[in-house]
Amino acid sequence: MTKLTIEMVSDLVCPWCWLGLRRIRSAIDLVDDVDVELIFRPFELDPTIPQGGVNYRDYMASKFGPETEDNRWATMREALVQFGEEEGIPFNFGELRHRPNSFDAHRLVRWAQGQGKGVEAKEALFSAYFEHARDIGDHDVLADIGESIGLEREIVAGLLASDADAEATREEENLFREMGIGGVPTYIAMRRIAVQGAESSEKLAKFLSASAKQMPQQRSYG
């Protein structure tokens, strides 16, 4: 079985990224002859958001214009809700009041991933924000989420209160920007092949299979 590492670059306040997570997981299940290791990499859609976050509606209005029935954000939101229903994702945009800074949430994913709980962390954070409208920039909320996936709450809280892994997370994020990534989700195979966007599971499965075929062949010595 071919082993393939896929790096998923995404943000935790990006609804397309939750769709992308569900779809890449389904794609992995569709490719029986490839052993895929999925690694999550940080990306902030807007790193200028202050630490305490901003008002969600004001922020979206600044990006997409005043909320009307036919503006670009309203149209996109309707599409996301429909796609979400197909993937079992309960987007609850109407409850969102706060647009957090997502940097510390990325640190939590980093720690969870080190414990083999990366997928659980991503799902829990996406659900907390898009389903339950929780502030995933708040340290108490992040500590709660860490505890909910089996991490030690006091340890997570202590790490969040410090600068633990802040430099490493920032360097990792900058690396992918320097690689030319400007939109998420982006999936990178072997640091050589990339596909961007929340493509269908079937298309992502083809990407995985095609990437695996380009892996260097293992040589046997002896």
Side-chain angles (χ1 to χ4, degrees):
M1 181 178 289
T2 304
K3 292 187 176 181
L4 181 68
T5 297
I6 297 293
E7 295 170 286
M8 180 178 177
V9 186
S10 58
D11 198 357
L12 294 150
V13 292
C14 165
W16 295 104
C17 293
W18 197 3
L19 281 172
L21 176 59
R22 289 288 174 91
R23 289 174 175 176
I24 192 65
R25 293 177 66 191
S26 295
I28 291 170
D29 291 338
L30 292 174
V31 184
D32 296 331
D33 58 343
V34 183
D35 180 12
V36 179
E37 179 187 21
L38 183 61
I39 299 176
F40 300 113
R41 302 301 189 191
F43 189 93
E44 290 175 274
L45 285 169
D46 188 350
T48 69
I49 295 288
Q51 182 70 27
V54 295
N55 179 276
Y56 176 81
R57 294 184 183 280
D58 291 346
Y59 179 79
M60 297 306 290
S62 73
K63 295 291 183 181
F64 298 100
E67 186 171 355
T68 63
E69 292 184 0
D70 59 352
N71 78 347
R72 188 158 63 97
W73 171 232
T75 302
M76 187 185 305
R77 187 170 57 192
E78 289 178 8
L80 281 162
V81 169
Q82 180 179 336
F83 290 141
E85 289 175 353
E86 295 170 0
E87 301 293 342
I89 293 174
F91 285 121
N92 194 12
F93 295 112
E95 295 299 315
L96 291 177
R97 299 290 183 271
H98 190 73
R99 197 324 191 156
N101 177 296
S102 61
F103 184 76
D104 285 335
H106 285 297
R107 285 204 291 159
L108 177 59
V109 172
R110 181 185 183 91
W111 302 325
Q113 192 160 243
Q115 301 296 315
K117 295 178 179 291
V119 170
E120 291 90 339
K122 295 284 281 191
E123 285 283 355
L125 285 160
F126 280 134
S127 175
Y129 184 57
F130 288 113
E131 183 179 3
H132 301 290
R134 301 183 74 188
D135 178 5
I136 60 170
D138 181 85
H139 285 186
D140 285 337
V141 171
L142 291 174
D144 288 344
I145 292 171
E147 184 178 31
S148 76
I149 62 170
L151 302 182
E152 291 289 339
R153 191 184 194 286
E154 290 185 4
I155 293 177
V156 171
L159 289 170
L160 288 167
S162 73
D163 290 330
D165 287 322
E167 183 176 354
T169 302
R170 188 72 69 195
E171 288 178 353
E172 197 171 72
E173 182 177 2
N174 290 338
L175 169 66
F176 290 99
R177 288 190 184 277
E178 290 168 2
M179 289 171 62
I181 293 175
V184 288
T186 294
Y187 312 93
I188 306 172
M190 308 175 297
R191 292 283 172 102
R192 292 170 51 196
I193 311 166
V195 63
Q196 187 176 90
E199 297 286 358
S200 68
S201 299
E202 291 74 19
K203 286 185 178 180
L204 288 172
K206 291 179 181 178
F207 165 68
L208 296 177
S209 294
S211 299
K213 289 177 181 177
Q214 296 189 42
M215 290 286 289
Q217 294 296 314
Q218 298 283 335
R219 291 188 177 182
S220 175
Y221 298 93

